Amino acid sequence: RDIVTFFLRQAGYSYFAEASTGPEALQQAQTFHPDLILLDVVIPELNGFEVCQKLKDNPATSHIPVLFLSGLTDVKNRTIGYQLGAVDFINKPVDRHELLARLNIHLNHHQLLRELEGYRARVAQELDQARDLQLALLPSPQELQDIGAAYSLAVSHHYQPSLELAGDLWGLYPLPNEHVAFMLLDCTGHGVSAALNAMRCHTLIQEHADLLLQPELFLTTLDDKLSRTLPPGSFITVCGGLIDTRQRLLHTISAGGPGLLSITPKGVELIACAGQPLGLGRGGYTTEKYALQPGQTLLAYSDALTEARHQNGKRWLTQGVIQAVKQYGLSAATLSSFMGHFLATAEALEDDLTALAITLPTATN
């Protein structure tokens, strides 16, 4: 210890502590909070290997790098030290240049790890806050309940980001004259960039919600504004509709989405989402009109439902979704169960997964 202390002082180190026994070393590690520990193997009461084991078992000291200083230079003892979590092994007698070189490497490495851990913790906290903000953009359970009661609709959804933040977003918009609109947005990309684009689009939807009664004008307006704000190569698909609950009519609000499924006792029909995705600046949107039936369910979904690979190596694709709906049945009340069937065989999702089911009242309602 005297020799090592002398070398350290000569090199400019002045803030360190010493211990002459294993238990004393453990106590010093708890109170001194070192950035690095130089540890002999043969020491009184507890040997160095036992001390290292206890250091690594204690969450308060497990992160501290341990360098063994020992005359036990055989492979067996070195292997034991490394298996216990030591970062290096320095032979005795200690060479001053080797000691300082290895000490500097591991101190710098430890400092970089601490900075990285701090950065990761800060990013994780910020992503949590951003995720909470994004989730706050979705209709709350109380809003869904209120809208459902006001329009005699049953509404349920499944929202599963593939990363911390999602490029998918959906909304339900009560409108005058017993109309209600719904939309599912899917932005290109994943993570933060896609989430920012989704929030851009959400802001524009709120700004121009009064145009939702005119789907063509609404989509053209969003396309024009997004074409000037989205990054190059980015676009947003839209799959949704405007429901006239008095006339039982659906006017599509579509811009290149995967489509809507219409589910009735008579069967399952795909309502295509025509039109160019938003943000390309091409316009030319049209709306189609469909008669709605009592008890009919409309399913909007992101393309993860069709494109995700399953354990058998295949994708559902549109036809697979239709077959699954026929097999398991689907309504707002059973959407959760249906998505459970999907997730039971789907591999890890590489894209955000969103589904929105709206069921109209039956004739008796």
Side-chain angles (χ1 to χ4, degrees), residues 24-245:
E24 186 182 351
L26 293 173
Q27 182 61 37
Q28 288 280 23
Q30 290 274 17
T31 58
F32 184 69
H33 305 297
D35 292 313
L36 183 144
I37 295 173
L38 297 169
L39 182 63
D40 206 337
V41 174
V42 181
I43 53 178
E45 300 186 43
L46 289 174
N47 66 44
F49 291 148
E50 293 171 318
V51 172
C52 185
Q53 180 71 71
K54 291 182 179 297
L55 288 170
K56 296 305 176 182
D57 288 343
N58 185 346
T61 58
S62 61
H63 66 285
I64 304 172
V66 175
L67 277 72
F68 276 114
L69 307 175
S70 179
L72 304 176
T73 59
D74 57 283
V75 173
K76 179 180 178 181
N77 280 289
R78 284 177 173 270
T79 301
I80 292 173
Y82 290 131
Q83 288 176 337
L84 291 173
V87 297
D88 212 339
F89 229 100
I90 300 176
N91 297 338
K92 292 198 300 188
V94 176
D95 177 80
R96 173 178 178 272
H97 299 290
E98 180 186 16
L99 171 69
L100 295 176
R102 296 194 180 189
L103 190 75
N104 287 332
I105 288 173
H106 291 296
L107 280 174
N108 289 335
H109 184 247
H110 181 55
Q111 180 64 28
L112 289 173
L113 283 177
R114 291 179 64 179
E115 291 176 359
L116 179 60
E117 288 170 357
Y119 172 77
R120 290 179 62 183
R122 186 174 71 254
V123 169
Q125 182 181 24
E126 292 174 353
L127 285 174
D128 284 342
Q129 294 172 345
R131 181 167 54 249
D132 291 342
L133 174 61
Q134 190 174 47
L135 290 174
L137 300 180
L138 303 178
S140 68
Q142 186 61 53
E143 288 174 321
L144 291 182
Q145 182 177 336
D146 293 344
I147 293 173
Y151 294 88
S152 299
L153 300 173
V155 182
S156 62
H157 72 280
H158 180 96
Y159 187 71
Q160 184 175 341
S162 61
L163 299 173
E164 291 85 354
L165 298 176
D168 285 4
L169 206 61
W170 67 274
L172 200 61
Y173 311 93
L175 298 167
N177 302 320
E178 299 183 45
H179 287 70
V180 60
F182 65 95
M183 281 184 291
L184 192 155
L185 316 176
D186 189 352
C187 303
T188 50
H190 310 290
V192 175
S193 61
L196 289 174
N197 289 339
M199 291 180 182
R200 284 189 178 102
C201 193
H202 176 271
T203 300
L204 288 173
I205 291 173
Q206 298 300 316
E207 182 181 345
H208 299 286
D210 58 312
L211 299 179
L212 277 167
L213 290 171
Q214 306 173 70
E216 300 98 330
L217 178 59
F218 171 78
L219 291 172
T220 300
T221 301
L222 261 60
D223 179 56
D224 176 62
K225 291 184 177 295
L226 287 170
S227 68
R228 289 179 274 150
T229 58
L230 291 182
S234 297
F235 56 83
I236 301 173
T237 63
V238 178
C239 184
L242 172 67
I243 299 175
D244 181 342
T245 59

Side-chain angles (χ1 to χ4, degrees), residues 259-263 268-271 297-301 321-322 325:
L260 286 171
L261 287 189
S262 167
I263 305 159
V268 182
E269 177 188 357
L270 175 66
I271 300 175
T297 294
L298 298 170
L299 175 68
Y301 53 89
V321 175
I322 292 174
V325 170

